[in-house]
């Protein structure tokens, strides 16, 4: 009788995503989708656009006062967003 190498479905899927180069874009998408959950409905209402480029999350806001308030909370937001994904996906946030 031979022994089988048994892997969990999660491990197989993660390995497959990594091999195809899709793991990082998937984590980036999850992080961008977590923005409303982290900042809440009031800030989400003023958020016009969010995207990631070179490990920086760019957030376009319609309220200048909110931009300055969130700039002071930048590192805390980075930590919370990375915690949602479970890995360091972004290193900074820029508010436009």
């Amino acid at each position: 009788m031979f022994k089988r190498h048994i892997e969990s479905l999660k491990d197989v899927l993660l390995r497959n995503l990594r091999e195809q180069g899709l793991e990082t874009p998937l984590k980036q998408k999850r992080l961008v989708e977590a923005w409303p959950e982290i900042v809440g409905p009031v800030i989400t209402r003023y958020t016009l656009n969010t995207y990631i480029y070179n490990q920086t999350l760019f957030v376009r806001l319609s309220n200048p006062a909110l931009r300055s308030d969130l700039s002071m909370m930048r590192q805390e937001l980075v930590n919370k967003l990375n915690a949602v994904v479970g890995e360091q996906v972004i290193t900074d946030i820029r508010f436009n």
Side-chain angles (χ1 to χ4, degrees), residues 2-8 11-12 15:
F2 60 92
K3 292 185 180 181
R4 294 183 181 176
H5 178 68
I6 300 174
E7 290 184 81
S8 70
D11 293 339
V12 171
R15 187 181 69 239

Side-chain angles (χ1 to χ4, degrees), residues 71-89:
S71 290
M72 290 185 272
M73 299 173 50
R74 177 180 285 143
Q75 192 56 45
E76 181 183 342
L77 290 170
V78 167
N79 293 338
K80 285 182 179 181
L81 287 164
N82 282 330
V84 167
V85 179
E87 189 174 311
Q88 184 174 354
V89 176

Side-chain angles (χ1 to χ4, degrees), residues 31 34-35 37-40 43 57 59 61 66-67 69-84 90-95:
L31 188 135
W35 174 258
E37 175 187 327
I38 297 298
V39 297
I43 296 172
L57 176 65
V59 180
L61 299 168
L66 188 59
R67 272 185 229 140
D69 289 345
L70 289 176
S71 290
M72 290 185 272
M73 299 173 50
R74 177 180 285 143
Q75 192 56 45
E76 181 183 342
L77 290 170
V78 167
N79 293 338
K80 285 182 179 181
L81 287 164
N82 282 330
V84 167
I90 60 170
T91 57
D92 194 16
I93 299 177
R94 299 283 168 98
F95 299 103

